[in-house]
Amino acid sequence: MIFLCIGCSGEDQPGGKADMNEGEVKEVGIQLLSRAEAPGMDDLEPGEAKAIVTDDSFFTPGSILYISQMGSDNNSNPNFSNPDENASPYMYQYEFYENEAADWDEGYNFEAVTGRKSIDWRAVKNLGSVGTAFSFFAMYFPESESPIFYVNSDQTGAGDKPYDQTRFKQSDILGANHATDALFTRMNFRLFHLMTYLKVTLYVPVYKETVVGDNMSYSGFEPGALTGAYLLGGSTQFNIEWRANRSPDTEAPLVQSGTTSTPIKMYMHQQEEDDQSITINVGDYYQDSEDPTDEVAAYNFSVLFPQPSANANVQLCFPITSKDGNVKYYYFYTNNVITSTGKLNLVQGTLQQLYLYLPRKVNETILVGAKILPWGTSSSDMTVYEEE
């Protein structure tokens, strides 16, 4: 989650109001914070937001923030595709000054883009308020030169750069909503990740000439047998419910996933040397194993996608090439995971991590653990079980 402070130019007057003739917003300040609430985050009290170490690589000089007002007319939703330079969306770009202290604590400085009209409270007033408040939305699209309201169906690196994160980061879309009943005052935004971030670690048995026990279905796989993974049952399209009843500054704008199911190729992390041979305690979670330990290779994948509906049948597919050259497909169904509060919910704005294992005896994936993590902060465990 990211905290924005937008200040009007000119000196503030008593009561926090700026001079009527100096009503343009020239600068925007952004501060990174952890999300206040998310399922499984037991270390945060309701409504609490904890500051985290800012990551200067998240914004680069020239990164663009888009801001648009929602009008009182039901047809006047925020417009982030308007080519008119004198209208919404208003554009602010990140400026990095290494030796210049910010006016806010650990903040980032965004300035109105040269040649683009900055927000003017007088124009805001003319567009009108929604109820008793003037409503705004702010959007940030990492790695994108213009607003995009979809995620990439292929989030791997392009061409000969399989580990390039550009297409993955393009799918990380952030948004904020804010409402104020006072003109010519400072506005505060909290910018949230709008997508669901699912990270998967798959433990694949290393190939052995002989294995312990009878009825083994395979002897494992050689290095490089797994070259990709897919998320099935999700969607690349989404809509933002601009007029949904959400609490300004404390909740993310509500995302409605598209109805068309689209396979999404997950980003595959580069395998480290330490991942190529790991000994795990199979008996801790797979009772049918005759050997309490197994040598496995770890493969890590990430994917960003809109929060699916509650009854969506989201699956993970892993095509793996066996030693004889045949491709086998292994599936994991997220609906088969239950928590202490019910089935696993792939909630927008959260990082959820699954740890899976391919046992040598059966042609299926076994859940070995799961976490729900706040983006960019320390992890928080939750209790997750495989449904019998």
Side-chain angles (χ1 to χ4, degrees):
M1 182 175 71
I2 300 174
F3 179 71
L4 277 80
C5 295
I6 300 184
C8 297
S9 63
E11 297 295 328
D12 286 353
Q13 302 299 313
K17 295 186 177 181
D19 184 79
M20 288 289 288
N21 295 322
E22 299 290 344
E24 293 187 2
V25 177
K26 297 295 187 181
E27 295 184 354
V28 174
I30 301 180
Q31 185 179 31
L32 292 183
L33 299 172
S34 66
R35 181 168 179 159
E37 299 178 38
M41 291 174 58
D42 297 331
D43 59 327
L44 293 184
E45 296 297 328
E48 179 185 7
K50 292 185 177 180
I52 61 173
V53 177
T54 56
D55 180 6
D56 288 334
S57 65
F58 193 85
F59 299 112
T60 57
S63 293
I64 300 295
L65 182 78
Y66 298 86
I67 302 174
S68 182
Q69 182 182 1
M70 184 165 66
S72 58
D73 187 334
N74 285 335
N75 295 320
S76 299
N77 288 330
N79 187 343
F80 289 94
S81 60
N82 190 352
D84 186 353
E85 295 183 355
N86 294 315
S88 172
Y90 305 99
M91 297 172 59
Y92 291 77
Q93 66 183 7
Y94 173 54
E95 302 286 350
F96 176 69
Y97 303 106
E98 185 174 4
N99 298 318
E100 181 177 335
D103 294 333
W104 50 91
D105 185 27
E106 298 290 336
Y108 296 90
N109 185 46
F110 279 70
E111 296 180 356
V113 172
T114 301
R116 297 279 304 201
K117 185 175 178 64
S118 57
I119 296 175
D120 190 321
W121 279 113
R122 290 160 292 194
V124 167
K125 183 178 181 180
N126 289 336
L127 187 56
S129 62
V130 180
T132 60
F134 296 90
S135 298
F136 298 84
F137 283 81
M139 301 293 296
Y140 178 64
F141 306 88
E143 299 293 336
S144 178
E145 296 180 355
S146 60
I148 54 173
F149 290 89
Y150 61 89
V151 302
N152 287 320
S153 59
D154 185 350
Q155 298 181 14
T156 62
D160 59 351
K161 298 180 180 179
Y163 305 113
D164 180 76
Q165 296 184 356
T166 299
R167 294 196 295 202
F168 173 73
K169 289 183 176 179
Q170 284 176 342
S171 303
D172 181 15
I173 299 169
L174 297 92
N177 62 314
H178 172 71
T180 178
D181 58 2
L183 294 172
F184 298 93
T185 58
R186 294 185 182 276
M187 294 186 294
N188 296 320
F189 285 84
R190 284 192 169 114
L191 195 63
F192 293 86
H193 296 278
L194 298 187
M195 299 298 105
T196 297
Y197 183 176
L198 180 63
K199 187 173 182 179
V200 179
T201 298
L202 180 66
Y203 296 116
V204 177
V206 173
Y207 178 79
K208 296 180 180 180
E209 291 291 343
T210 58
V211 292
V212 178
D214 298 328
N215 302 319
M216 290 293 183
S217 57
Y218 60 88
S219 298
F221 297 94
E222 294 184 311
L226 180 57
T227 58
Y230 296 85
L231 181 133
L232 308 178
S235 177
T236 58
Q237 303 293 327
F238 67 93
N239 297 308
I240 295 179
E241 299 298 311
W242 302 114
R243 296 181 181 273
N245 186 19
R246 310 289 279 178
S247 298
D249 308 323
T250 61
E251 293 183 86
L254 187 63
V255 170
Q256 180 68 41
S257 179
T259 57
T260 303
S261 176
T262 305
I264 302 176
K265 190 170 185 179
M266 303 172 70
Y267 174 78
M268 184 174 181
H269 298 259
Q270 186 169 9
Q271 192 179 41
E272 304 294 338
E273 184 176 352
D274 293 343
D275 294 331
Q276 297 175 12
S277 179
I278 301 172
T279 299
I280 62 174
N281 295 319
V282 179
D284 289 347
Y285 46 79
Y286 185 52
Q287 301 296 324
D288 295 333
S289 176
E290 296 181 13
D291 191 347
T293 63
D294 195 6
E295 182 185 3
V296 300
Y299 295 87
N300 294 289
F301 301 91
S302 291
V303 63
L304 294 162
F305 62 107
Q307 175 180 323
S309 61
N311 59 354
N313 186 21
V314 177
Q315 309 168 41
L316 302 174
C317 175
F318 305 98
I320 310 180
T321 304
S322 63
K323 185 175 176 59
D324 58 10
N326 294 322
V327 178
K328 297 183 177 182
Y329 295 88
Y330 297 88
Y331 296 86
F332 181 80
Y333 299 83
T334 59
N335 279 352
N336 290 341
V337 181
I338 59 173
T339 73
S340 56
T341 57
K343 289 189 176 182
L344 178 67
N345 291 320
L346 297 169
V347 179
Q348 74 174 75
T350 59
L351 163 58
Q352 309 198 32
Q353 186 160 354
L354 298 177
Y355 301 87
L356 308 175
Y357 167 62
L358 295 180
R360 292 180 185 270
K361 275 194 172 183
V362 292
N363 293 322
E364 63 180 351
T365 55
I366 301 296
L367 178 70
V368 301
K371 294 179 179 179
I372 294 181
L373 314 174
W375 248 329
T377 65
S378 60
S379 64
S380 171
D381 291 336
M382 71 171 184
T383 304
V384 178
Y385 309 93
E386 182 191 13
E387 187 176 44
E388 295 295 336

